[in-house]
Amino acid sequence: MSRSERLLDLLQILRRHRRPVSGHLLAEELGVSLRTLYRDIASLQAQGAGIEGAAGFGYVLKPGFLLPPLMFSEDEIEALVLGSRWVAGQADERLGAAARDALAKVAAVLPPDLRDALETTPLHAVTGGPNEAEGDALATIRRAMRAERKLELVYRDAAGQESTRLVWPFALGFFERVRVLAAWCELRRGFRHFRIDRIAGLTPTETRYPRRRQALVAEWRAAEKIPPRP
């Protein structure tokens, strides 16, 4: 592995971690000595990389630092294309358009050979996308989650019985055929999951729910025994 490749790998490793990582762990993952790692970090910092930390404390990449386009391998390009195409076919119209726009921005800064790989990749995502009503509901739910606002739902269960719920929306799950809202339900006083295609009515409110969304997600993951994200 060349030194330039190693430096890019180091940036990628740091990007995967949200908290400081010890120099020993970084050196072990890269297969280099601790002295070499310290030199590599100093070199990246001198080139403008937002790496914070010090020996004995650990290192973390500051949020917002952009990796150079050469960082993308052909496998990563294919993953980006496949993921963007899946989102474009599975989510609401606005989010689908955002996925296509994001891919276009990536293509604009890629070197010619990688741009060709992006545009000619043979990978395609076939999904059963939402209808217009579901798409509108998804867009409304996403806005409510970002603003941490309560939603009033008229929900129809599997037997066709309707109930009105006031919920705190905090996550959306996109599956092959259905989309599911995870929320705290005031009526049931607990976490509940609502299929988007069974929502008969949806009214956004201006009432902020009393917990931070990140805290709700953490509690929900613990309750459902969902492993943490890598």
Side-chain angles (χ1 to χ4, degrees), residues 22-173:
S22 73
H24 288 284
L25 288 177
L26 292 171
E28 182 179 349
E29 189 162 351
L30 287 169
V32 299
S33 69
L34 198 56
R35 179 176 294 183
T36 297
L37 174 78
Y38 291 152
R39 285 201 301 264
D40 287 349
I41 287 177
S43 178
L44 288 171
Q45 288 172 329
Q47 296 175 39
I51 300 174
E52 294 182 337
F57 167 74
Y59 298 92
V60 64
L61 188 65
K62 288 197 301 186
F65 179 74
L66 300 178
L67 297 181
L70 288 176
M71 186 64 196
F72 294 120
S73 66
E74 289 187 357
D75 286 342
E76 289 167 338
I77 289 293
E78 290 189 343
L80 286 171
V81 173
L82 185 61
S84 297
R85 288 177 175 174
W86 189 91
V87 171
Q90 187 78 346
D92 58 88
E93 184 177 351
R94 187 179 180 88
L95 195 58
R100 291 187 290 270
D101 289 346
L103 199 59
K105 290 179 180 178
V106 170
V109 298
L110 286 176
D113 57 334
L114 290 181
R115 189 181 307 123
D116 290 342
L118 182 147
E119 293 173 349
T120 60
T121 178
L123 303 184
H124 298 272
V126 180
T127 63
N131 57 36
E132 184 176 353
E134 286 183 58
D136 291 343
L138 288 170
T140 299
I141 291 168
R142 290 195 300 108
R143 286 194 296 270
M145 286 193 300
R146 281 198 294 262
E148 298 182 339
R149 296 295 191 269
K150 296 182 182 181
L151 286 171
E152 184 177 294
L153 307 180
V154 177
Y155 191 69
R156 186 180 299 114
D157 65 18
Q161 293 293 113
E162 289 188 356
S163 61
T164 300
R165 313 287 188 95
L166 194 62
V167 302
W168 310 350
F170 59 81
L172 274 171

Side-chain angles (χ1 to χ4, degrees), residues 14-21 60-61 229-230:
L14 286 169
R15 214 182 162 190
R16 290 202 306 263
H17 294 275
R18 299 179 182 179
R19 297 179 179 176
V21 189
V60 64
L61 188 65
R229 293 175 180 173

